[in-house]
Amino acid sequence: MADEPLVLGIETSCDETGVGIVRGHTLLADAVASSVDEHARFGGVVPEVASRAHLEAMVPTIQRALKEAGIAASDLDGIAVTAGPGLAGALLVGVSAAKAYAYALGKPLYGVNHLASHICVDQLEHGALPEPTMALLVSGGHSSLLLAPDITADVRPLGSTIDDAAGEAFDKVARVLNLGFPGGPVIDRYAREGDPEAIRFPRGLTGSRDPIYDFSFSGLKTAVARWIEARRAAGEEVPVADVAASFQEAVVDVLTRKAVRACKDNGVDHLMIGGGVAANSRLRAMAQHRCEKAGITLRVPRPKLCTDNGAMVAALGAEMVARNRPASSWDLPADSSLPVTEPHVPGTDHDHGDGHGPDHGHGHAHDHDHFHELSKDNLYS
């Protein structure tokens, strides 16, 4: 284990400041500072608020993670950070912090993809990913089916949402039901007391002529809202638990049906589910049932690792180090629309071509004049 890469990961794509530390496939620390309460009164994430919260939480969260792992920052083999996709301002805070720590410590920097990180985090729970891995990623911003022959270099999109993501639909339906924000956990809770067959809500993109791997939840969200409005207009009570259960069933039915079909069509016998919605109890239960019936092995991390966290970024960073992937350049951008086909953002040959940090003396011709008057001892003391 001592020979495995020790990597710190920083995640700031949305409203949670996550810092994780991983050695190989072993999780040593997972520190999270969430700003969700600050966004609740707005009914959704406010980018400017999220960016400011990341800025305030960054250093304390990193220090908490190092203390939890029982290591010094100088022990690290690399710094990984979410380079995208996500909120531009929020990403920029994380990328800037990662650059500062990597440069000050003389460690390689790895800008990684948020979605690929959600897949790689399962290695911390169930060991090395099978190759290829079929992944269903469901969150507030993404609903995607991905085939990953190599999580560090080859991730192929099979399908994605054409409008609202699953998590976004949960939030919007919860708002119509006056259940607050975020909507996923509260709808899951109410649904346990409701009848999932009480109302037959539509299943988007499940017709014979529809794209077989794409998702659409906007129509479902609208159908739920109109059903609720009609009941209220008639002066009738809205059965919240039944609405929650029926809506949730419609989402989960489509997600699991398409994921299992993707596995069958592509000859893959493992399905990994990640993202915040993967914490949903009904999704886990239906996926387990359908996978068992189809002879597919289901892999789902524990709920805490499904939501955004630094551990998933560290996990992918550690895999990059283990497979000798090139580190990122010092001009690594924060890319809000980074495609999933780019699991990480490598450097050019004259920057981090060998995967070492600036102090290792291996071919770093990149101009660091703007740093020259700064002492590294002062940058990290």
Side-chain angles (χ1 to χ4, degrees):
M1 178 176 172
D3 294 333
E4 294 179 314
L6 179 65
V7 175
L8 180 144
I10 298 174
E11 154 61 23
T12 62
S13 65
C14 193
D15 61 336
E16 291 181 320
T17 307
V19 178
I21 298 176
V22 165
R23 188 185 291 279
H25 295 167
T26 303
L27 178 61
L28 302 182
D30 182 22
V32 177
S34 177
S35 61
V36 65
D37 292 342
E38 299 177 47
H39 303 283
R41 62 194 178 102
F42 301 106
V45 177
V46 180
E48 293 81 2
V49 173
S51 299
R52 173 59 62 178
H54 288 311
L55 192 62
E56 295 173 351
M58 183 59 63
V59 173
T61 308
I62 289 177
Q63 291 175 340
R64 182 153 50 96
L66 291 169
K67 183 177 180 180
E68 182 182 335
I71 65 167
S74 57
D75 296 330
L76 295 167
D77 295 312
I79 307 288
V81 62
T82 299
L87 301 174
L91 289 168
L92 188 59
V93 176
V95 169
S96 298
K99 287 180 180 180
Y101 276 92
Y103 187 85
L105 293 165
K107 306 296 181 181
L109 171 71
Y110 294 88
V112 301
N113 191 290
H114 179 80
L115 299 183
S117 297
H118 268 304
I119 300 174
C120 199
V121 75
D122 190 60
Q123 294 195 149
L124 306 180
E125 190 89 46
H126 300 115
L129 289 169
E131 294 184 342
T133 287
M134 182 69 69
L136 170 65
L137 298 187
V138 279
S139 66
H142 307 279
S143 295
S144 306
L145 272 170
L146 306 169
L147 181 64
D150 179 346
I151 193 58
T152 66
D154 186 4
V155 179
R156 307 170 188 176
L158 299 182
S160 62
T161 183
I162 65 171
D163 42 53
D164 289 357
E168 185 179 0
F170 270 90
D171 288 339
K172 291 179 177 178
V173 169
R175 189 181 307 157
V176 175
L177 289 171
N178 300 317
L179 298 180
F181 174 85
V186 69
I187 284 184
D188 192 4
R189 188 166 63 250
Y190 272 90
R192 293 170 189 172
E193 305 298 325
D195 179 3
E197 298 181 1
I199 311 157
R200 179 68 184 183
F201 287 127
R203 272 68 166 161
L205 296 186
T206 55
S208 59
R209 297 184 179 181
D210 291 325
I212 58 176
Y213 301 140
D214 284 340
F215 303 99
S216 172
F217 297 108
S218 180
L220 169 61
K221 169 206 66 183
T222 301
V224 174
R226 288 178 176 171
W227 192 93
I228 293 170
E229 289 168 2
R231 291 292 292 253
R232 287 172 176 165
E236 300 176 4
E237 182 179 354
V238 174
V240 175
D242 285 346
V243 172
S246 298
F247 159 74
Q248 178 176 269
E249 194 74 2
V251 173
V252 169
D253 181 23
V254 173
L255 290 172
T256 56
R257 188 189 312 180
K258 295 203 172 200
V260 169
R261 176 168 181 175
C263 287
K264 290 181 176 179
D265 290 351
N266 290 275
V268 179
D269 62 359
H270 283 72
L271 172 65
M272 182 270 166
I273 303 181
V277 180
N280 181 273
S281 63
R282 182 57 182 152
L283 175 59
R284 287 171 172 254
M286 186 178 289
Q288 185 65 50
H289 172 74
R290 287 184 166 171
C291 282
E292 287 180 355
K293 189 175 180 181
I296 297 168
T297 300
L298 178 66
R299 294 169 56 125
V300 190
R302 58 184 179 272
K304 187 177 180 182
L305 293 181
C306 291
T307 53
D308 291 349
N309 60 80
M312 68 187 200
V313 179
L316 184 52
E319 198 66 24
M320 296 291 176
V321 175
R323 300 194 188 196
N324 295 314
R325 301 303 182 204
S328 300
S329 305
W330 293 112
D331 58 356
L332 171 71
D335 186 349
S336 61
S337 57
L338 183 68
V340 71
T341 51
E342 297 181 27
H344 89 303
V345 184
T348 55
D349 289 341
H350 65 275
D351 288 324
H352 275 108
D354 66 341
H356 291 285
D359 271 357
H360 290 238
H362 296 290
H364 288 276
H366 195 70
D367 184 5
H368 293 301
D369 286 346
H370 56 298
F371 283 122
H372 284 174
E373 295 182 2
L374 295 175
S375 162
K376 292 184 182 179
D377 291 336
N378 291 332
L379 278 169
Y380 194 86
S381 58

